[in-house]
């Protein structure tokens, strides 16, 4: 208990002693403040001007100021002012502490002042080196960090980073110098990327601003992630994966023959490459199917296929080949080799020419045919023949045209333009292939693509074609004119026939009992009216043919009856003829379009084909003078010549009628131009060719 009391009293004493000393110190400081005073801590910007005031000391009268502590003599007293004696640099010294002694009489008071140098942006950011290299593997996940490139600033300012270009597959992590993957990289697409990194010490809106730059070369590294690819192949991208499709190989061998050396394959030699082209691992080859008979062997390193023995069976034969990476057996690929076994022929197909020439206009259009001449419309056709066939025709021949030249060839050998071409010559190779054994031959084709449509091209005509067309049109015109002439001639003849028919009908009617009636047992005909094959004339028919009825044998006409009839014909006939003429004239006038001419006229007309009854002089109808009807002999002769064939047929018909005694014989009336000072008419009996002439 006593011990506890002593410890408590000692503690109380210590606190009292401390409080006493504190009061003495405060009293002393208060006394010093009365002599001089200043800011305890002050600042000045670096890069200052010599003599710049750092701070001002407040002092009482009689107090002197002395700079007793001055690091590197950086400051000096000018009166009450503490000034900079040198240019301060923040990067060298960031803070100073100086001591100023205040003295009055024997009383001295030290005054400590802390001087802080303020930083000014007077230094550019700096990268450790101007160029950097980064190696980045392809297929890295997005946002994977691939490197950090940082700049430094002596002013210790925070830096702002920027990476360009921003579309190369990389980006920065916020405002840091960390570089990340922006998208999945593919070595086959991009193998190297060049970036520029910028470091800026302050925003451009706060001058001054300094920027540092660095160049970054990024190398994309290939990753072993793909199997071998047989060549040639068609690359296909599926998402982030890329595959290459090969359609296989073809070859042909002859039955019972062993090929020497590597087989010739199509579309090319068998070989594969590493799908990861940047790694390019070596490939090995082997058969996996199809070579059970061990006829073929394959080189493990090159892929060349050779024959160990001849084929003894007909094909085709399919070999399956596998390519494997030597360093990774899990990376492999397979393909097929189709072997066609054929019987060797003696002659391959051969083109008819080694070189062909064709022409086509540039504006002909796609699928237009190439022509065999500039002024020809005939398409160019190439053909190959096979001497193994008697006629040279081999149905297994197919044609191929060189690709990429703008032309194609049909199975029949016609050349077509497959794309629009500029004017000028185009040469290409044509190939004829025997599909049964793949034997082939080649020929060259030179096509002249003309700038404008050639005359012989579709839609144009050459001089030869124009001349042929003109001749054809001329021939057609002549033929048309001849046909028109014949038609007009036939029409004229038809008019003449109708005219004859009318004349004969009128004459017959007035020789009978009345108009339209025939005398019993007699009929008069005038062969002068039976012209131009006018077998249908009224005068050519006998009474047995009239109205489909036959005359009886008792009505047969005799020469005596004819004589009696002639003596009865006298001047009153003239009167009747005149009346008929008047009626006929009226009919002709009404039907002028038919141009029917009257048979009675006072003028003798010499027109060909014109038949008429005319009078030499005017005759009084009441005078009862005898009249002789005389025909125009020239007209008679012309008509007789034209109707020779008809007369022969009629004579034959008349002879048959006489023999059969089925119908009366009709006397023919003829006219003579011999006047003998008296008008006369002549009647000739066809049966005995007896001619009688009597006065009318």
């Amino acid at each position: 208990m006593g011990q506890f009391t002593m410890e408590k009293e000692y503690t109380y004493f210590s606190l009292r002693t401390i409080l006493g000393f504190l009061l003495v110190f405060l009293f002393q400081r208060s006394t010093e403040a009365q002599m001089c005073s200043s800011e305890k801590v002050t600042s000045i910007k670096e890069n200052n001007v010599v003599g710049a005031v750092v701070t001002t000391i407040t002092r009482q009268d009689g107090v002197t100021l002395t700079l007793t502590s001055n690091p590197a003599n950086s400051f000096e007293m000018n009166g009450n002012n503490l000034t900079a004696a040198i240019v301060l640099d923040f990067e060298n010294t960031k803070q100073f502490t100086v001591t100023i002694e205040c003295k009055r009489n024997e009383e001295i008071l030290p005054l400590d002042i802390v001087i802080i140098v303020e930083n000014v942006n007077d230094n550019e950011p700096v990268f450790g080196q101007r160029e950097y290299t980064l190696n980045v593997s392809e297929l890295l996940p997005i946002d994977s960090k691939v490197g950090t490139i940082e700049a430094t600033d002596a002013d210790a300012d925070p830096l702002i980073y920027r990476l360009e270009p921003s579309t190369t597959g990389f980006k920065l992590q916020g405002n840091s110098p960390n570089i990340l993957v922006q998208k999945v990289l593919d070595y086959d697409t991009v193998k190297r990327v060049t970036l520029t990194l910028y470091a800026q010490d302050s925003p451009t809106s706060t001058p001054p601003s300094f920027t540092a730059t660095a160049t970054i070369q990024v190398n994309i590294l290939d990753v072993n992630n793909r199997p071998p690819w047989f060549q040639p192949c068609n690359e296909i991208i599926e998402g982030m994966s890329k595959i290459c499709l090969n359609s296989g190989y073809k070859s042909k061998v002859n039955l019972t023959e062993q090929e020497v050396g590597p087989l010739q394959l199509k579309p090319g030699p068998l070989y594969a490459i590493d799908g990861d082209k940047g790694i390019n691992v070596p490939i090995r080859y082997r058969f996996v199917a199809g070579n059970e008979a061990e006829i073929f062997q394959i080189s493990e390193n090159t892929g060349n296929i050779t024959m160990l023995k001849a084929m003894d069976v007909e094909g085709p034969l399919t070999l399956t080949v596998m390519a494997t990476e030597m360093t990774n057996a899990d990376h492999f690929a397979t393909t097929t080799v189709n072997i066609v076994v054929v019987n060797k022929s003696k002659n391959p197909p051969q083109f008819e020419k080694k070189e062909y020439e064709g022409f086509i206009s540039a504006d002909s259009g796609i699928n237009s045919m190439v022509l065999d001449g500039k002024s020809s419309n005939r398409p160019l056709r190439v053909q190959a023949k096979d001497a193994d066939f008697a006629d040279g025709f081999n149905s297994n021949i197919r044609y191929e045209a060189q690709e990429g030249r703008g032309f194609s060839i049909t199975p029949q050998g016609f050349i077509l333009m497959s794309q629009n071409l500029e004017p000028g010559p185009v040469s290409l190779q044509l190939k004829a292939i025997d599909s049964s054994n793949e034997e082939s031959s080649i020929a060259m084709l030179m096509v002249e693509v003309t700038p404008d449509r050639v005359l012989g091209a579709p839609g144009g005509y050459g001089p030869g074609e124009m001349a042929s067309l003109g001749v054809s049109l001329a021939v057609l015109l002549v033929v048309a004119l001849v046909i028109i002439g014949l038609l007009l001639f036939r029409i004229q003849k038809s008019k003449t026939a109708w005219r004859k028919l009318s004349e004969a009908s009128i004459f017959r009617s007035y020789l009978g009992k009345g108009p339209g009636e025939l005398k019993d047992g007699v009929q008069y005909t005038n062969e002068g009216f039976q012209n131009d094959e006018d077998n249908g004339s009224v005068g050519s028919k006998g009474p047995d043919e009239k109205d489909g009825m036959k005359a009886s044998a008792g009505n047969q006409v005799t020469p005596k009856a004819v004589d009696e009839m002639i003596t009865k014909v006298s001047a009153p006939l003239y009167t009747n003829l005149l009346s008929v003429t008047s009626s006929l004239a009226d009919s002709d006038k009404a039907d002028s379009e038919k141009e029917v001419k009257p048979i009675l006229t006072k003028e003798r007309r010499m027109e060909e084909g014109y038949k008429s009854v005319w009078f030499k002089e005017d005759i009084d109808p009441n005078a009862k003078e005898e009249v002789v009807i005389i025909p125009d002999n020239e007209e008679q002769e012309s008509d007789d010549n034209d109707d020779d064939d008809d007369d022969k047929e009629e004579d034959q018909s008349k002879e048959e009628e006489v023999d059969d005694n089925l119908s009366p014989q009709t006397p023919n009336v003829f006219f003579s131009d011999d006047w003998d000072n008296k008008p006369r008419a002549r009647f000739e009996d066809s049966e005995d060719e007896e001619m009688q002439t009597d006065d009318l």
Side-chain angles (χ1 to χ4, degrees):
M1 186 65 181
Q3 184 178 358
F4 176 78
T5 302
M6 290 181 63
E7 290 179 358
K8 185 175 180 181
E9 290 178 354
Y10 179 75
T11 303
Y12 176 78
F13 175 77
S14 299
L15 292 174
R16 187 170 57 185
T17 301
I18 292 173
L19 289 175
F21 281 113
L22 181 58
L23 290 174
V24 172
F25 176 76
L26 293 175
F27 176 77
Q28 183 179 3
R29 297 299 295 175
S30 177
T31 302
E32 293 176 353
Q34 295 177 0
M35 293 180 61
C36 60
S37 62
S38 174
E39 297 175 342
K40 299 299 180 182
V41 179
T42 187
S43 63
I44 185 174
K45 293 183 178 181
E46 65 174 335
N47 302 328
N48 59 285
V49 179
V50 175
V53 177
V54 177
T55 187
T56 300
I57 308 300
T58 302
R59 62 178 177 170
Q60 296 179 354
D61 295 338
V63 177
T64 59
L65 302 176
T66 304
L67 188 58
T68 58
S69 177
N70 186 11
N73 296 321
S74 301
F75 303 95
E76 61 183 1
M77 292 299 301
N78 290 321
N80 293 336
N81 295 326
L82 177 65
T83 61
I86 60 173
V87 177
L88 302 178
D89 186 2
F90 174 83
E91 287 72 30
N92 293 331
T93 305
K94 298 178 177 56
Q95 180 176 320
F96 295 88
T97 300
V98 298
T99 301
I100 299 175
E101 182 181 81
C102 300
K103 183 178 181 183
R104 186 174 55 187
N105 299 327
E106 298 297 329
E107 184 179 3
I108 299 174
L109 178 64
L111 183 61
D112 296 330
I113 301 174
V114 176
I115 302 172
I116 298 175
V117 180
E118 295 182 6
N119 187 24
V120 175
N121 187 18
D122 58 348
N123 294 284
E124 297 181 358
V126 177
F127 284 103
Q129 56 193 63
R130 299 187 62 179
E131 293 186 0
Y132 294 85
T133 300
L134 297 178
N135 294 322
V136 179
S137 298
E138 65 172 345
L139 305 179
L140 284 178
I142 296 176
D143 292 334
S144 297
K145 181 178 178 181
V146 297
T148 300
I149 300 176
E150 187 174 7
T152 59
D153 188 353
D155 296 325
D157 292 329
L159 299 179
I160 301 172
Y161 292 94
R162 184 175 78 256
L163 186 65
E164 293 183 356
S166 59
T167 59
T168 55
F170 298 93
K171 64 180 180 179
L172 292 176
Q173 185 178 16
N175 188 37
S176 70
N178 298 327
I179 301 175
L180 308 179
V181 174
Q182 185 180 30
K183 62 181 181 181
V184 177
L185 305 174
D186 182 7
Y187 173 83
D188 295 329
T189 303
V190 179
K191 296 179 174 59
R192 175 173 292 185
V193 175
T194 300
L195 304 173
T196 301
L197 182 62
Y198 298 90
Q200 187 175 351
D201 56 10
S202 63
T204 55
S205 60
T206 307
S209 179
F210 300 97
T211 302
T213 60
T215 302
I216 306 173
Q217 295 290 346
V218 181
N219 297 321
I220 310 301
L221 303 180
D222 199 1
V223 175
N224 189 12
N225 65 313
R226 295 193 181 108
W229 288 349
F230 282 99
Q231 300 298 304
C233 64
N234 183 27
E235 295 185 10
I236 299 176
I237 298 177
E238 294 290 341
M240 292 306 301
S241 300
K242 180 182 292 186
I243 58 178
C244 198
L245 299 179
N246 172 262
S247 58
Y249 303 87
K250 296 180 180 179
S251 183
K252 67 180 183 67
V253 297
N254 296 321
L255 186 65
T256 69
E257 290 186 10
Q258 180 180 352
E259 295 287 339
V260 178
L263 294 182
Q264 299 298 316
L265 305 180
K266 294 182 179 181
L270 185 149
Y271 76 101
I273 62 173
D274 186 359
D276 302 308
K277 300 177 183 178
I279 301 177
N280 198 21
V281 176
I283 307 297
R284 63 163 55 99
Y285 308 89
R286 66 185 181 91
F287 288 127
V288 293
N291 194 35
E292 289 76 9
E294 296 184 351
I295 297 175
F296 302 93
Q297 70 175 2
I298 187 170
S299 173
E300 184 181 45
N301 297 322
T302 64
N304 291 332
I305 299 176
T306 56
M307 296 186 69
L308 297 176
K309 56 184 178 181
M311 287 288 298
D312 54 0
V313 295
E314 295 184 353
L317 177 67
T318 300
L319 303 174
T320 302
V321 179
M322 183 172 67
T324 308
E325 291 183 2
M326 289 186 178
T327 59
N328 187 353
D330 292 333
H331 286 181
F332 64 89
T334 61
T335 189
T336 59
V337 180
N338 188 28
I339 307 295
V340 178
V341 183
V342 298
N343 290 320
K344 186 176 181 181
S345 65
K346 295 181 180 180
N347 300 284
Q350 294 291 337
F351 280 99
E352 295 178 333
K353 298 180 181 179
K354 290 297 182 182
E355 296 182 355
Y356 292 88
E357 184 179 17
F359 301 87
I360 193 170
S361 174
D363 61 351
S364 295
I366 297 176
N367 291 331
S368 296
M369 285 188 177
V370 175
L371 305 180
D372 65 355
K374 286 186 177 180
S375 61
S376 172
N377 283 327
R378 185 174 59 187
L380 174 65
R381 185 179 186 182
V382 299
Q383 286 185 307
K385 295 185 177 180
D386 192 337
D388 293 332
F389 295 81
D391 57 357
F393 176 74
N394 183 355
S395 61
N396 293 320
I397 293 179
R398 71 176 190 272
Y399 298 100
E400 294 180 357
Q402 184 177 350
E403 296 182 358
R405 306 300 294 173
F407 293 93
S408 62
I409 186 170
T410 67
Q412 296 77 24
F414 295 104
I415 310 300
L416 305 179
M417 187 167 69
S418 60
Q419 67 184 49
N420 294 323
L421 298 173
E422 295 295 328
V426 178
S427 63
L428 64 151
Q429 179 178 285
L430 304 178
K431 195 172 187 179
I433 306 170
D434 187 345
S435 301
S436 64
N437 53 29
E438 298 300 318
E439 292 181 342
S440 63
S441 65
I442 61 174
M444 295 303 299
L445 170 62
M446 176 64 71
V447 180
E448 180 68 26
V449 182
T450 60
D452 298 320
R453 182 178 294 276
V454 296
L455 294 177
Y461 298 95
E465 285 74 12
M466 294 299 293
S468 300
L469 179 61
V471 172
S472 300
L473 292 177
V475 172
L476 291 176
L477 179 59
V478 171
V479 172
L481 292 175
V482 171
I483 293 175
I484 292 173
L486 291 176
L487 291 176
L488 292 175
F489 179 72
R490 296 294 296 178
I491 292 173
Q492 184 64 29
K493 289 177 62 178
S494 299
K495 290 182 179 179
T496 303
W498 281 105
R499 189 182 303 115
K500 293 176 183 178
L501 179 62
S502 177
E503 294 171 359
S505 176
I506 294 171
F507 185 75
R508 290 172 53 207
S509 67
Y510 282 92
L511 290 177
K513 295 178 180 180
E517 297 182 7
L518 296 175
K519 284 185 176 292
D520 294 337
V522 66
Q523 179 178 355
Y524 299 95
T525 62
N526 189 340
E527 294 188 4
F529 295 104
Q530 302 173 19
N531 191 18
D532 302 325
E533 301 176 358
D534 189 11
N535 295 329
S537 173
V538 174
S540 65
K541 295 183 179 180
D544 58 331
E545 296 173 348
K546 179 65 176 178
D547 298 330
M549 299 174 61
K550 283 188 176 183
S552 63
N555 292 332
Q556 184 173 352
V557 177
T558 65
K560 183 178 181 181
V562 173
D563 293 339
E564 293 176 356
M565 178 58 61
I566 293 173
T567 59
K568 292 179 181 181
V569 178
S570 61
L573 175 62
Y574 174 71
T575 303
N576 293 334
L577 291 175
L578 288 178
S579 63
V580 172
T581 303
S582 177
S583 300
L584 181 60
D586 294 339
S587 175
D588 292 342
K589 183 177 181 180
D591 195 11
S592 60
E593 293 181 359
K594 298 182 180 179
E595 298 181 359
V596 178
K597 300 178 182 179
I599 66 173
L600 300 180
T601 180
K602 295 180 180 181
E603 297 179 359
R604 185 175 185 180
R605 301 185 181 181
M606 304 302 294
E607 300 176 11
E608 181 180 357
Y610 184 84
K611 306 296 182 181
S612 65
V613 178
W614 63 279
F615 303 93
K616 183 175 182 182
E617 58 185 359
D618 293 338
I619 300 175
D620 185 0
N622 299 321
K624 296 185 179 181
E625 295 181 6
E626 293 182 353
V627 179
V628 177
I629 301 175
I630 306 290
D632 187 347
N633 284 344
E634 295 178 0
E635 189 176 37
Q636 174 74 30
E637 293 173 2
S638 176
D639 293 338
D640 291 341
N641 292 333
D642 294 335
D643 296 332
D644 288 338
D645 296 336
D646 295 338
D647 292 342
K648 292 179 180 179
E649 294 178 359
E650 291 176 0
D651 293 339
Q652 183 178 0
S653 176
K654 291 176 182 179
E655 291 175 2
E656 292 175 359
E657 291 176 356
V658 170
D659 295 339
D660 298 336
N661 294 321
L662 296 177
S663 61
Q665 299 300 316
T666 303
N668 295 329
V669 181
F670 292 93
F671 303 98
S672 174
D673 56 359
D674 294 332
W675 289 88
D676 295 335
N677 298 322
K678 179 188 290 189
R680 291 179 180 275
R682 186 182 65 180
F683 293 83
E684 180 179 288
D685 185 61
S686 60
E687 181 178 11
D688 54 6
E689 297 183 357
E690 178 180 356
M691 182 178 68
Q692 300 179 18
T693 303
D694 288 298
D695 297 337
L696 294 176

